[in-house]
Amino acid sequence: QVQLVESGGGLVEPGRSLRLSCSYSGHTLPLAGIGWFRRTPGKERDGVACRSLKDDSSYYADSVKGRFTISRDSVKGTMYLEMNNLKPEDTAVYFCAARQHRYGSDCPKNELDYDYWGPGTQVIVSS
């Protein structure tokens, strides 16, 4: 199976920036896309951003457009989420997820359309 591990979370003041990293490895079959999701207690995971590994296109949730940027280092096998101008409502556990190559969108919005998940990293935005 594909193994994913997130890192880079922590406590940050509003207006500051953080860069999350998702290391992926352990699978020889091609992946269609890697996305970032976030979850607060008692709620389902919501899609934040996704990047296609086939055409390199990127997608963002309306709540983070203009503030977050998803990028990839194919040599290191790492997907990054650069988070700028963080707000208290960005507080959540952030997960990266990989979608196995198959028919359909490379970056679906539904978490059930992804096949592999990391354990998550906590981000707390507070003064």
Side-chain angles (χ1 to χ4, degrees), residues 39-106:
R39 181 180 66 196
T40 55
K43 299 181 179 180
E44 297 182 0
R45 283 183 288 209
D46 295 322
V48 176
C50 183
R51 191 173 186 91
S52 169
L53 303 187
K54 292 188 289 185
D55 61 16
D56 214 29
S57 58
S58 300
Y59 305 89
Y60 299 93
D62 290 339
S63 60
V64 305
K65 285 182 178 178
R67 297 191 298 121
F68 291 9
T69 302
I70 187 170
S71 61
R72 179 195 180 200
D73 187 329
S74 60
V75 176
K76 294 182 178 180
T78 303
M79 190 72 75
Y80 300 100
L81 183 67
E82 181 73 31
M83 305 185 295
N84 300 311
N85 191 25
L86 283 163
K87 306 177 184 298
E89 50 264 42
D90 294 319
T91 296
V93 177
Y94 284 73
F95 302 85
C96 63
R99 175 176 169 84
Q100 195 172 80
H101 176 69
R102 59 182 180 270
Y103 297 108
S105 174
D106 296 337

Side-chain angles (χ1 to χ4, degrees), residues 5-62:
V5 180
E6 304 92 341
S7 62
L11 175 63
V12 63
E13 294 182 346
R16 294 281 190 170
S17 299
L18 279 177
R19 188 178 74 167
L20 304 182
S21 299
C22 173
S23 175
Y24 56 93
S25 62
H27 205 290
T28 59
L29 297 177
L31 298 174
I34 295 181
W36 285 94
F37 289 76
R38 63 187 181 186
R39 181 180 66 196
T40 55
K43 299 181 179 180
E44 297 182 0
R45 283 183 288 209
D46 295 322
V48 176
C50 183
R51 191 173 186 91
S52 169
L53 303 187
K54 292 188 289 185
D55 61 16
D56 214 29
S57 58
S58 300
Y59 305 89
Y60 299 93
D62 290 339

